[in-house]
Amino acid sequence: MHPSHLTAALLKLLAASLLLISFAMLSRRRTQRLITLFAWQGAVLFMSTLLVAHSAGLRELYYSAALTLLLKVIALPWILHRLIHRLGAQWDSETLVNIPTTMLVGLGLVIFAFGLAHPISRMATTITRNTIGIALAIIFLAFLMMITRRKAVTQVIGFLAMENGLFFAATSATYGMPMVIELGIALDLLVGFFILGIFFFQIREQFDSLDLSNMEALKED
Amino acid sequence: MTALTMVRQFGEVLLAIAIAPLFTGWIAQCRAWLQSRAAPPLTQPYRMLRKLFQKDVALATHASALFRMTPYILFGAMVLVAAIIPSIATDLPFARVADAIALIGLFATARVFLSLAAMDIGTAFGSMGARRDMMIGFLAEPALLMVLFNAFLLSGSTALPSVVEASTAHSFLMDPSLLFAAVAFLMVLLAENARIPIDNPATHLELTMIHEAMALEYSARHLALVEWASDLKLFNYACIGFALFLPWGIATHGADGGLALGLAVAVLLAKLTVAGAALALIESLSAKLRIFRAPEYLAMAFLLAVLGLLVHLLLGA
């Protein structure tokens, strides 16, 4: 088998596993499992970036792969674990819509994403062009997770998963963004994450829970 | 040539019948290790069967002929399934007779008979178990069909030997759609064989039991056959999984001399060892679901299999 064919097939497999992990995240109720899945998603993303970097021969992509490994597989999951232990929020995360319905909506979103990506992927010239649809689907699914969850922590995990999808879209459509932008995004993500972490404690102090539906009511006093 | 294939066919079936209890015993042993208990010996299922075959049958007064016939029908159906699945070689006379959809029909036949027999005596436990098993069955069957359609779509045939030959001929890399199908298949396997997220195989006395509730009225050789059939069912499911997702090592048509067959048996045993340990690990890690969560669990398996089809169609092979 030709090596580039092998790379393309392997990349498709990794893209499919990313999509699978996204669906698994959509179906999980427990916050702790969500964080584990998020770390796995980061690991698969790291492997796919490494693969694209190797096949395209781009040094910059190796750096962003290393950044992915450090930030999304090791640092963020570790911080999230500590955070939910401190908050005592590891158990329940009630969904607004029941899970089979969410999965059905997710299925519709996947079809929509593939339809949307079809014209783009026909124009692209990279070996990874087939996976643009999957990258878009991952972004949509993360959006869906943010919409259907009630707790602040799970919404933040959805936000991080969405960034994973965006990153994968960037590598699959254009072999990654310039290094400066990538570093900027990584820094933004980290800072945004820290601010949200502080917010968690503020929210809990105000309402005695992390349920965001409390914030919909206006406070009088 | 035909005589040789017949010998091969019977060898395969006998091997399946012989090592199916061993597979169950191996899973039980791994589970015991993972729970840091003293493990029962690997031969425990065989000792159980021998003990049961030596005992006298105790039948309920109102038991009909259906109740007495069912263990033989169950066992026969499972042996037939074992003959159809290409677990060692693909060039088998039985494998060409029926495709994978007929296979699901055989599983369904066994389920219907066991449920009828469970209701035959008229105890509360029996009919409760039968009803629950039918509920699980009618949800698991479409999911299993969708999983099979994934493989059929790739190979262009509904016969398992062709699926195996097509996937060994193409490449050693899994198609992306099969990844989804494999996860869905694992979920169906656990549900259909009364394993932990849906049912607990280790206990008799629980209000949540499904399979054990149906076999509660059976004794002696009847019970032995029912148990042996359920061991065979698990073994058959494992072999279907190997044929669909891990077909390496199965002796294909034209390359099935004595050496290749010996290698295929060795590979099958290795795969079963790994799969048994993995099943035990999954069962130890997961908690039993409430029965009302079972439809959600199986709907997820179905959706994953459909997603596999979608990925295959949209990604373009």
Side-chain angles (χ1 to χ4, degrees), chain A residues 129-195:
Chain A
R129 63 176 180 276
N130 280 327
T131 50
I132 295 173
I134 288 188
L136 267 181
I138 293 166
I139 297 170
F140 285 148
L141 288 176
F143 250 134
L144 185 64
M145 200 177 104
M146 284 177 75
I147 292 167
T148 54
R149 297 305 167 102
R150 208 176 274 180
K151 291 275 152 66
V153 184
T154 27
Q155 293 200 349
V156 167
I157 297 172
F159 168 70
L160 293 172
M162 195 165 75
E163 206 279 331
N164 273 353
L166 279 172
F167 184 81
F168 187 63
T171 44
S172 63
T174 60
Y175 288 145
M177 294 168 277
M179 205 57 215
V180 183
I181 299 176
E182 211 135 281
L183 276 174
I185 291 175
L187 203 65
D188 266 1
L189 200 68
L190 206 60
V191 171
F193 184 74
F194 278 123
I195 292 171

Side-chain angles (χ1 to χ4, degrees), chain A residues 34-102:
Chain A
L34 272 179
I35 296 171
T36 317
L37 282 170
F38 171 70
W40 273 107
Q41 200 176 36
V44 176
L45 199 63
F46 164 69
M47 282 191 280
S48 74
T49 314
L50 217 58
L51 198 68
V52 174
H54 177 73
S55 72
L58 292 169
R59 175 124 51 90
E60 282 182 351
L61 271 180
Y62 282 113
Y63 294 140
S64 60
L67 207 62
T68 307
L69 183 68
L70 261 176
L71 202 63
K72 288 171 189 158
V73 186
I74 301 166
L76 285 181
W78 184 69
I79 299 171
L80 270 171
H81 266 298
R82 290 208 42 185
L83 205 61
I84 62 163
H85 269 289
R86 294 259 314 263
L87 289 166
Q90 58 264 57
W91 298 116
D92 56 324
S93 78
E94 274 306 304
T95 53
L96 286 175
V97 190
N98 73 349
I99 283 178
T101 317
T102 318

Side-chain angles (χ1 to χ4, degrees), chain B:
Chain B
M1 181 251 169
T2 44
L4 194 66
T5 54
M6 283 314 260
V7 167
R8 210 180 284 151
Q9 176 77 68
F10 278 108
E12 194 210 9
V13 173
L14 286 179
L15 185 78
I17 294 172
I19 64 174
L22 193 68
F23 184 49
T24 315
W26 167 241
I27 295 176
Q29 203 169 42
C30 286
R31 277 183 61 167
W33 283 334
L34 284 169
Q35 293 159 2
S36 37
R37 289 185 286 125
L42 263 181
T43 52
Q44 185 60 36
Y46 296 108
R47 291 187 197 180
M48 195 75 168
L49 290 177
R50 199 185 64 190
K51 184 186 82 181
L52 287 172
F53 272 118
Q54 281 168 352
K55 289 196 169 186
D56 285 331
V57 176
L59 269 182
T61 12
H62 302 296
S64 68
L66 179 86
F67 185 78
R68 268 170 285 145
M69 261 159 44
T70 295
Y72 302 100
I73 294 172
L74 276 186
F75 191 73
M78 288 309 140
V79 169
L80 198 56
V81 171
I84 293 170
I85 299 169
S87 54
I88 295 171
T90 56
D91 186 24
L92 299 169
F94 270 77
R96 301 277 167 205
V97 175
D99 61 5
I101 294 172
L103 211 71
I104 294 180
L106 274 172
F107 281 126
T109 312
R111 183 182 8 254
V112 166
F113 271 97
L114 186 59
S115 299
L116 284 178
M119 290 198 261
D120 186 55
I121 301 289
T123 61
F125 266 128
S127 49
M128 184 195 72
R131 284 200 301 260
R132 285 182 178 166
D133 193 50
M134 289 318 267
M135 185 187 84
I136 303 291
F138 103 92
L139 291 164
E141 231 162 65
L144 184 58
L145 268 176
M146 278 295 159
V147 169
L148 289 171
F149 284 154
N150 268 303
F152 296 163
L153 207 63
L154 279 179
S155 64
S157 159
T158 60
L160 278 177
S162 318
V163 172
V164 171
E165 285 187 356
S167 54
T168 42
H170 278 313
S171 72
F172 64 95
L173 209 63
M174 211 186 213
D175 192 85
S177 69
L178 280 185
L179 198 68
F180 292 90
V183 175
F185 181 78
L186 190 66
M187 291 170 81
V188 172
L189 183 148
L190 289 171
E192 279 269 32
N193 288 290
R195 318 263 354 151
I196 236 164
I198 301 295
D199 190 6
N200 190 350
T203 171
H204 281 282
L205 290 167
E206 260 190 57
L207 283 171
T208 53
M209 60 188 173
I210 299 174
H211 177 78
E212 291 298 334
M214 289 195 292
L216 213 54
E217 293 295 324
Y218 277 113
S219 58
R221 59 170 186 277
H222 292 154
L223 181 61
L225 281 177
V226 170
E227 291 294 321
W228 207 342
S230 68
D231 291 351
L232 262 172
K233 188 178 180 189
L234 182 59
F235 176 82
N236 285 336
Y237 263 90
C239 285
I240 294 177
F242 297 150
L244 294 182
F245 308 115
L246 308 163
W248 315 295
I250 297 173
T252 48
H253 187 61
D256 43 7
L259 191 68
L261 279 181
L263 191 70
V265 173
V267 170
L268 177 69
L269 289 179
K271 281 185 206 166
L272 283 174
T273 312
V274 176
L279 273 182
L281 188 67
I282 291 169
E283 279 196 80
S284 300
L285 285 178
S286 49
K288 193 181 162 305
L289 289 174
R290 280 192 300 146
I291 190 91
F292 297 116
R293 280 274 167 83
E296 187 181 296
Y297 171 87
L298 287 164
M300 226 144 74
F302 180 76
L303 285 177
L304 278 178
V306 173
L307 199 65
L309 284 180
L310 274 180
V311 166
H312 176 76
L313 291 177
L314 296 171
L315 208 57

